[in-house]
């Protein structure tokens, strides 16, 4: 769950819309796959990272509350075939 903790910057146990820009920095890729948190990230336009986050939110948010819970994140990673 290192990626989840990385993206949950306010520590409320959800990845909120304001935190979607951190998903790429935390290792979520264009294929919306889960994996390890990278050692460092490259600079990218925030709009690109936010768009990736919105796509991930649409795929992962099972209960429609516009945020990603630990359970939703784990379910997505499991479905994607990752052990994250």
């Amino acid at each position: 769950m290192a990626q989840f903790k990385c993206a949950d910057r306010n520590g409320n146990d959800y990845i909120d819309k304001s935190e979607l820009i951190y998903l790429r920095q935390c290792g979520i890729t264009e294929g919306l796959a889960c994996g390890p948190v990278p050692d460092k990230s490259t600079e990218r336009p925030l709009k690109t990272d936010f768009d990736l986050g919105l796509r991930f939110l649409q795929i992962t948010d099972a209960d429609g509350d516009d945020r990603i819970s630990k359970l939703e994140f784990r379910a997505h990673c499991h479905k994607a075939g990752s052990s994250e």
Side-chain angles (χ1 to χ4, degrees), residues 2-3 6 23-29 33-39 82 84:
Q3 286 178 312
C6 176
L23 293 181
R24 186 184 311 277
Q25 294 174 17
C26 295
I28 301 295
T29 64
C34 303
V37 176
D39 292 331
S82 175
E84 174 66 21

Side-chain angles (χ1 to χ4, degrees), residues 30-65:
E30 286 295 333
L32 303 175
C34 303
V37 176
D39 292 331
K40 63 180 183 173
S41 63
T42 58
E43 290 294 322
R44 295 181 55 95
L46 292 180
K47 169 92 170 91
T48 302
D49 287 351
F50 187 70
D51 289 346
L52 171 79
L54 282 177
R55 287 193 307 272
F56 192 77
L57 177 66
Q58 290 170 344
I59 291 168
T60 309
D61 182 21
D63 61 7
D65 64 354

